[in-house]
Structure formats: C-alpha cells, structure tokens
Amino acid sequence: MKASLESILDVLGKPNVQYVIPVFQRVYSWNTRQCEQLWNDMMRAGAARKMHFMGTLIYLPDEACAEGGFTHASLIDGQQRFTTITLALMALRDELRQKGAASAELAKSIDADYLHAGEACKLKLSKSDDAILRHLVDGEELDCDPKNSQFLFDNLEFFGGKMQDSSFDADTLFSGLKELKVVSVELGADDSPQQVFESLNSKGRPLSTTDLLRNTLLVKYGTDEQERLFDVYWAPIDEAFQKFGSEQDIYLDAAIHYWMLSRATGIRAGKRSDLYPAFKEYLSRKGGASLEDMLQSINAACLEFAAKPSSPEMRQHIDWVIDKPKGLISQRKIFGD
C-alpha cells in the first residue's frame, strides 16, 4: 500500500491509466446540493490559491487488464468525487471550446489528460452509468434509458449553468481544481480490497449485508471477470428484487437467510446483523471451493425467493429478518399483499 497527498487532478491525470468503478458498486448519486458545495470549494480555493482537502481516494491497479495502451485501476473509494470532478472538467472543456482559439489549448489539454485514456474515457462507470458518461464525453449514441442516470445529466447542466454567470472566471476554476487535494492510496497485490470495504463500512459509509457479501465474492476477480460474473449471477438478482422498492434490503436479507438454511450446510446466523459475519466464517471454512459455484447457488436461491415471497416458507425468513414476534401482527399488514 502506498499513500501520498496529491492533487485530485494529478491522480485523475495519471498517464495510461483508466479508472474503473467495479460493477458491484452503487451508481452515481450526488445531487446538485453536493455539487453546489463542491463548486464553492473549488472557486474559493482557486481565488485564494489555497489547498482544499477532499478526503481519501483508494484504488487498485489491475496490471493483468491492460488494453488500448492503458492499465485499469479499480476505484475502491472515491467514485462520487471522481465522477463529479469529471463532470466539472467536462463542462469547463465545453465552455472553453466556445471561447475561441485563445482557450482552445486548455480545452484540448483537459480533454486529453483528464477525460480520456487513449481513445477511451478516463473514467469507466458501472454499466448503468457508463453509456451515459461516454455519451456526455464524446457524444456516443445512447442505447439505454437516460432516466437511469439522471444525476449525470443534471450535474453537468449545473456546472455548465454556473459558467454562464458574467462573473465566472475559467482560470480561477482551473486553479481551484488544482488545489483540491486527496490522500491517494494505491493498494498492492498483497492488500485486501475487501478489508477496505469493511473499514469504510465501519466509518459511516454503510453497506448492506448483500453489498458486503457480493463485494466479498466479486472483488477477488479482475475487472473483466467481475463484469461477467455480475452479469450472469448478480444482475438478475438486482432486477428480481427491484419490485420490493424501499423494502428491498429486507427481502434480500431474507433471501440470503433462505440460501443459508437451504443450501449452505453448517452456516447459521442468530440475527440479521450476524448474516455477513456468518457468511465470512462459512467462506473461510470452504477454503478452495469455487466462488462461481457459490454465486450460482446464491443466484438460484434468491430467484426462488423473489418468485414466491408470500409463501409460508419465505414469510418465515422475512419474519426472522424483521425479528417479528410471532402472533402479533400479520405479515400482510407489514408488507401488503
């Protein structure tokens, strides 16, 4: 592990590196309120030529995955900030392009150094966002519903709107971007990304049981294999459980409990908060067992659960998750028909 204090632009602009958001991470979700705060921080830092600290960025280079003349680096922590900075740089590039030859060189530099790795986008988002980002950076034709990534559109428009103010100064903004500092942590081959996930989870960035379980299984693979396994085994689970809306985590945890009791011999959890520790213990006991076989088993159990959540068998697992005292309130009153 190597840690150093760097400008976020120096990290983003590392030559021949494309930053990849692992497929199992959550989608981009910063709103305009958070962008407003970042804008104010950038402009103040630029005007004062004074450093502004933005926290920690953690990434894992994937030397085995090199294509197009660049190397992939999985972004373990920092997706929201990296993506938002990319949107601000994109808006600045577009604004400078409209100002004529005097600003064209900086626009070209921003595009080459911070928005692209070779011919590809510098930042590769998870699948539901990636096509939108490529469309915004390079004008690629959209082949998905833009409503699924509305924050990307809204925040690019927000930054572009700020630049239409008569008092806006591009040099001040770019200077402010240079003053944004992070502790850049580059993980090595012997470091455990999953321990980083769990550490982040214990410091106010809560991940659900299924987030942790999925990350534990997928993080052991390289980028391409992560995408294949996610598409085959986990994406169908996400799709099947969307119908449960705000109660999705409850139903997912109930489905994992169902999997544990029906397919994972010897694994037991006393209460909902024990699900992930029990899974980790089970995983350590399994040793060299195939993780893909385990993903396949979890996939089958979760899809079975999602197909009949109101059956007496599945209701038992929901009752266990919500710790419902037997005989007090009907399941229907809590979750509807």
Side-chain angles (χ1 to χ4, degrees):
M1 180 184 295
K2 296 186 293 186
S4 59
L5 183 66
E6 297 184 75
S7 161
I8 196 168
L9 287 190
D10 287 342
V11 181
L12 182 60
K14 286 183 185 295
N16 304 318
V17 175
Q18 182 188 49
Y19 292 96
V20 179
I21 307 301
V23 293
F24 48 78
Q25 285 201 22
R26 294 167 179 170
V27 297
Y28 179 63
S29 60
W30 268 27
N31 56 37
T32 52
R33 179 183 59 80
Q34 291 157 309
C35 291
E36 180 80 53
Q37 182 62 57
L38 176 61
W39 177 267
N40 292 336
D41 291 339
M42 291 188 295
M43 297 306 289
R44 279 196 295 264
R49 299 297 194 270
K50 184 176 179 180
M51 181 192 87
H52 178 77
F53 183 61
M54 286 191 72
T56 302
L57 288 175
I58 304 173
Y59 62 94
L60 174 66
D62 185 0
E63 301 294 345
C65 189
E67 57 184 46
F70 56 85
T71 299
H72 288 165
S74 292
L75 196 59
I76 306 301
D77 184 42
Q79 170 194 3
Q80 306 296 325
R81 284 164 290 163
F82 241 37
T83 305
T84 308
I85 292 296
T86 295
L87 292 171
L89 286 164
M90 203 186 313
L92 180 57
R93 176 202 64 181
D94 295 345
E95 177 68 13
L96 291 170
R97 282 175 171 174
Q98 297 178 34
K99 289 187 176 298
S103 302
E105 196 60 34
L106 179 55
K108 183 178 179 180
S109 175
I110 289 172
D111 187 72
D113 296 342
Y114 306 118
L115 300 180
H116 288 93
E119 296 298 318
C121 284
K122 186 72 173 178
L123 184 61
K124 182 182 170 99
L125 300 183
S126 56
K127 285 201 170 183
S128 56
D129 284 337
D130 191 50
I132 302 297
L133 185 66
R134 286 187 279 108
H135 168 72
L136 294 175
V137 172
D138 288 328
E140 289 192 15
E141 185 175 347
L142 277 179
D143 57 358
C144 60
D145 187 350
K147 292 181 181 178
N148 294 333
S149 303
Q150 193 61 43
F151 287 120
L152 292 170
F153 286 101
D154 291 347
N155 294 345
L156 178 61
E157 183 179 356
F158 168 83
F159 287 123
K162 286 289 190 181
M163 295 175 195
Q164 302 313 304
D165 191 286
S166 59
S167 63
F168 170 68
D169 180 70
D171 290 335
T172 299
L173 174 60
F174 196 61
S175 295
L177 282 160
K178 292 178 181 177
E179 294 291 347
L180 299 180
K181 305 292 184 181
V182 295
V183 173
S184 170
V185 180
E186 179 181 324
L187 300 180
D190 296 331
D191 297 318
S192 170
Q194 184 55 27
Q195 288 183 356
V196 174
F197 279 123
E198 293 176 22
S199 175
L200 293 172
N201 194 52
S202 69
K203 292 177 173 62
R205 301 174 177 89
L207 298 172
S208 69
T209 298
T210 47
D211 286 334
L212 289 166
L213 186 149
R214 179 194 60 221
N215 295 355
T216 298
L217 291 171
L218 293 180
V219 78
K220 300 178 185 296
Y221 295 94
T223 302
D224 291 342
E225 187 66 357
Q226 280 181 4
E227 291 187 0
R228 183 187 73 81
L229 293 171
F230 182 87
D231 287 346
V232 173
Y233 300 113
W234 208 272
I237 295 174
D238 284 345
E239 183 176 350
F241 280 77
Q242 283 179 359
K243 64 185 179 184
F244 300 118
S246 61
E247 294 163 346
Q248 182 172 331
D249 282 348
I250 292 174
Y251 281 89
L252 277 167
D253 284 359
I256 294 300
H257 188 247
Y258 167 63
W259 168 76
M260 285 182 174
L261 295 186
S262 63
R263 287 171 168 80
T265 306
I267 185 171
R268 291 291 182 272
K271 57 184 182 298
R272 185 182 184 184
S273 60
D274 293 337
L275 282 171
Y276 180 61
F279 172 76
K280 282 183 63 181
E281 182 181 349
Y282 173 74
L283 199 60
S284 67
R285 292 203 313 267
K286 297 295 285 186
S290 167
L291 297 183
E292 181 166 0
D293 288 347
M294 198 174 298
L295 275 166
Q296 186 176 22
S297 174
I298 292 170
N299 167 275
C302 287
L303 295 185
E304 284 177 15
F305 187 98
K308 49 179 182 178
S310 298
S311 70
E313 180 183 13
M314 302 310 177
R315 285 183 179 181
Q316 291 177 15
H317 298 285
I318 297 172
D319 288 347
W320 181 86
V321 167
I322 65 175
D323 196 21
K324 173 190 166 186
K326 294 183 178 180
L328 292 183
I329 302 175
S330 73
Q331 188 70 40
R332 182 169 298 179
K333 287 184 178 179
I334 298 175
F335 294 102
D337 294 336

